[in-house]
Amino acid sequence: MKDRFFLTTAISYPNGAPHLGHAYELLAADAIARFMRLDGKDVFFLTGTDEHGLKMVQTAEREGLPVKDLADRNAARFRAMGQTLAATNDDFIRTTEPRHYDASQAIWKRMEANGDIYLSKYSGWYSVRDEAFFGEDELTSGDGGKKFAPSGAPVEWVEEESYFFKLASYQQKLLDWYDAHPDFIGPETRKNEVVSFVKRGLTDLSISRKTFSWGVPVPDAPDHVMYVWVDALTNYITACGFPDESAERYPYWPANLHLIGKDIIRFHTVYWPAFLMSAGLPVPKRVFAHGFLNNRGEKMSKSTGNVLEPIAMAEHYGLDAFRYFFLREITFGADGSYSHEAIVARLNADLANDLGNLAQRSLSMVNKNCEAKIPAKGPLSDEDKVLLDAAYALRAEARAAMNDFALHSILNAIWKVVGDTNRYFAGQAPWALRKTDPARMETVLWVTAEVLRIIGILTQPFIPLAAPKLLDLLAVPADSRDFAHAEAGFALTSGTELPAPTALFPRYVEAETEGQTPGKEGKGG
RNA sequence: GGCAGUGUAGCUCAGCUGGUUAGAGCGUGGCACUCAUAAUGCCAAGGUCGGUGGUUCGAGCCCACUCACUGCUACCA
C-alpha cells in the first residue's frame, strides 16, 4: 500500500485573469506533486477557484454580466493556465459546485452542533456605495466629524446581524497544537508570527453576512451567506468527498500540505484548524507559505503595469525554462525577484550550456564512436567512482531538502553534479582517448551517460518536458524512471541501442526588435 | 511603539556546536581545448563578513549597543 500524499494550492479568486503569483504557486505545487509521485506516493493534487464574495459581485456588475458567468469565464482561464504550465492536478474544484455547497453546510452544522456558532451583531463603519466595511484606520475624517472610506464614499456606523464562531475558545488548543506539531507551519519565520499572534489573544469571528447573497447559504438561515473563509477553506475537504466518509478520496484527508501565499497564513493556520477541531475533523499536517515575486525589485501591481501574463511568459521562454527559473532562483518560502535578464541567464547557463550541452557533447560522441549504443563499461577509476557516488547521493539529498520544501536546494544540488560532470568530462578528455585508449573512452562515456540517467530521473518534477526527453535519448524504459531507479542497481546496460541525440534546450537569443519580451515590457493585467 | 527576521565579493546566495590564508554560481579579465548548442575547462581580479564596543587563546558565527531594510501587530483578501 502506497503512502498517500494530499497537497493543495490555495484556491484562486477569479475576479480577474490569473497572474504570475498564481502561476508560481501552482507550478511549485506541481513540482512537489510530481516529486512525490516519482518517489512512490499515492498523490492527490488539488487546485481550483474560490468564486464567492462581494468582489466577484462588484466585478460582475462592472463588466455587466451575471456573476456566475464571470465565474465560469475566469475559472476557465485558471484551468487553462494550469494546462499551459503542465500542472498535474488531479481535480480542479470550484466553490460554486453543488458538492461544495453540501460540504460547506455540513461543516457548518457540525461546528454549530459543537456549540461554537451563535447569532450576534457585527458592527463597523459601512459604506453603502462600496458595500463594504472599513476599519477605523482606513477612514479619513472630513468636515463636521464625518468619516469617509478610501474611495471617498461616506461611511456610517452600522450593526448587522451575523453568526459568530467561538474562535476565542480555541486559543489554547491552537497553541498546544503548534507546540505538539512543530512542522505544522513553515517556513519558521511564519510560524513565529502566527504563534505570537495567537498568544496575544483571539476574539470570536464573524462568519456570515446578510449584505449580499453570492455565497453558500447558512443552514436554516437562508438570509445569511457564509462569509468567505468558512466557505473557501472548506474546499479542501469538499474535494475529499466530505461529508461522505465512504467517498473514494475521503482517506486522503487530512492533507499533507497546504501550499499557500504568505498573505493568507492566518486563515490556514488559525481559523482553519479551529474550524476543523470544532467539527471533529483531523487537522492538516503542514501549511507552507511561499513568498511574493518582485519584478526588478518592484512589487507587481496593475498600476505599475508590471503584472505579467504567465502563459505568455511560459510560451516566450519555454515551459521548462519558466518553471526551472522560478523554482531554482528563488529560495522557496522567501520573496524573490525576477527579470528578463535573470531568466535568460538561467536558461542559457544552467539549461542550455550546462545540462543541454553536456548531454549533447557526450551523446554525440557515443553516437559517432560507439555505434550509437550504450558504451562498454570497463574497470572504474577513482574519478569515475567519485562522480557516480555524487550522482547516486542526489536522491537522498533531494528527499532531505523536500522535507523542508526547499525546492531551490534540490535543483542546486543536482546542478552541482551537472557541473562536476562537465569538469569530469573535460578532465578525462574522451576525444583524446579515442585515439590512445578506446576502451577507456567508452568507460568515460558510460559513466557520463549513467550520471545523465540519474539527473534525468531527478529533474522530472521540475523540467517535465526536457527530462523525459533526456531519458529517451538514453533509451531508459518508461517503467524505469521512478526515483526507485535512481541507483546503481538500475544502471545503463552496455550495448543498448540509442536514438540519434537531439538538443534538449535551445539557447535564448535576444530578439532584434526592442521591447517584445515579456520581462522587459509589462503587459498590463 | 512592541515582537520577529535580514544585512557576507558587481549580482544572487552558502557558510556545520566559534578554530589555520572567508566559499559557490553568474558577471568581468586572461589562457587552454575542440567532443559539444560561439558550448566546456583552467587561472585571476574582487569582500575591513552593516557599524561600534565587548567575551575568548581565537568570532562572519556568542553578548551589548547602533544603523538600514523587511514581516507581523485580528475579523482586508
Side-chain angles (χ1 to χ4, degrees), chain A residues 189-512:
Chain A
T189 168
R190 300 293 157 216
K191 178 183 173 180
N192 295 339
E193 288 177 8
V194 171
V195 170
S196 68
F197 169 77
V198 174
K199 276 184 178 166
R200 267 190 285 266
L202 299 171
T203 61
D204 292 348
L205 198 63
S206 166
I207 54 168
S208 77
R209 285 297 138 87
K210 295 175 78 174
T211 46
F212 59 93
S213 59
W214 180 239
V216 181
V218 169
D220 305 319
D223 52 333
H224 287 260
V225 294
M226 296 182 193
Y227 196 44
V228 60
W229 281 99
V230 177
D231 153 28
L233 290 162
T234 300
N235 91 84
Y236 303 130
I237 56 175
T238 299
C240 293
F242 180 83
D244 177 8
E245 299 188 5
S246 65
E248 189 187 349
R249 280 174 167 155
Y250 201 82
Y252 284 102
W253 190 260
N256 297 77
L257 170 64
H258 288 318
L259 187 66
I260 59 169
K262 64 180 183 179
D263 53 333
I264 55 176
I265 190 83
R266 181 185 308 157
F267 303 97
H268 284 80
T269 60
V270 181
Y271 303 169
W272 182 225
F275 294 164
L276 290 165
M277 288 173 183
S278 174
L281 293 166
V283 172
K285 305 257 177 51
R286 303 180 70 174
V287 176
F288 191 91
H290 65 253
F292 291 159
L293 305 177
N294 299 315
N295 186 346
R296 299 170 188 281
E298 288 180 25
K299 281 187 180 175
M300 287 190 299
S301 73
K302 292 180 182 179
S303 58
T304 57
N306 62 354
V307 176
L308 297 178
E309 223 274 278
I311 291 175
M313 280 181 86
E315 287 171 351
H316 184 80
Y317 297 111
L319 178 60
D320 282 330
F322 179 74
R323 291 173 60 112
Y324 177 82
F325 173 80
F326 286 104
L327 298 177
R328 168 61 224 267
E329 181 92 356
I330 297 164
T331 299
F332 195 60
D335 287 353
S337 104
Y338 65 93
S339 65
H340 170 71
E341 289 78 5
I343 295 171
V344 169
R346 282 290 178 194
L347 198 178
N348 284 342
D350 291 8
L351 297 181
N353 296 351
D354 281 0
L355 179 54
N357 184 57
L358 173 64
Q360 185 84 334
R361 68 195 301 208
S362 56
L363 293 177
S364 76
M365 280 201 73
V366 169
N367 189 56
K368 290 173 188 164
N369 303 299
C370 307
E371 303 176 316
K373 293 175 182 172
I374 295 290
K377 174 192 175 190
L380 296 180
S381 70
D382 287 347
E383 290 93 334
D384 299 343
K385 289 175 186 165
V386 167
L387 181 63
L388 286 168
D389 286 347
Y392 293 138
L394 282 175
R395 183 178 62 184
E397 288 179 53
R399 284 172 175 158
M402 185 54 91
N403 209 37
D404 298 321
F405 306 115
L407 306 180
H408 59 290
S409 295
I410 296 175
L411 290 170
N412 192 40
I414 293 172
W415 255 262
K416 170 73 167 56
V417 172
V418 172
D420 289 345
T421 311
N422 268 316
R423 276 183 286 279
Y424 165 86
F425 202 82
Q428 298 298 316
W431 55 90
L433 293 169
R434 183 179 55 189
K435 299 162 191 161
T436 59
D437 189 348
R440 177 59 195 159
M441 174 200 74
E442 294 219 19
T443 299
V444 169
L445 293 175
W446 182 88
V447 168
T448 304
E450 171 63 1
V451 172
L452 285 172
R453 183 182 72 88
I454 301 299
I455 290 167
I457 288 174
L458 295 177
T459 51
Q460 290 177 98
F462 309 98
I463 45 176
L465 303 181
K469 192 171 168 187
L470 173 58
L471 294 170
D472 288 345
L473 294 179
L474 295 165
V476 175
D479 62 359
S480 301
R481 298 180 174 190
D482 293 338
F483 287 180
H485 301 100
E487 55 185 47
F490 297 92
L492 292 169
T493 307
S494 300
T496 304
E497 299 222 16
L498 298 178
T502 57
L504 291 179
F505 307 99
R507 274 183 65 81
Y508 184 94
V509 180
E510 210 64 64
E512 291 297 318

Side-chain angles (χ1 to χ4, degrees), chain A residues 45-89:
Chain A
F45 171 22
L46 176 70
T47 188
T49 43
D50 168 24
E51 306 181 359
H52 292 309
L54 187 59
K55 285 183 181 168
M56 283 295 285
V57 176
Q58 292 171 331
T59 302
E61 277 174 10
R62 194 160 50 243
E63 299 196 16
L65 58 159
V67 64
K68 183 62 165 66
D69 289 2
L70 173 72
D72 288 346
R73 186 193 72 192
N74 284 348
R77 288 182 177 176
F78 279 83
R79 225 188 263 266
M81 179 185 74
Q83 282 163 3
T84 300
L85 299 182
T88 56
N89 51 293

Side-chain angles (χ1 to χ4, degrees), chain A residues 117-121 160-164 208 210 221 224:
Chain A
I117 292 179
Y118 62 92
L119 189 61
S120 183
K121 282 189 164 44
E160 176 194 330
E161 188 180 59
S162 169
Y163 285 96
F164 281 75
S208 77
K210 295 175 78 174
H224 287 260

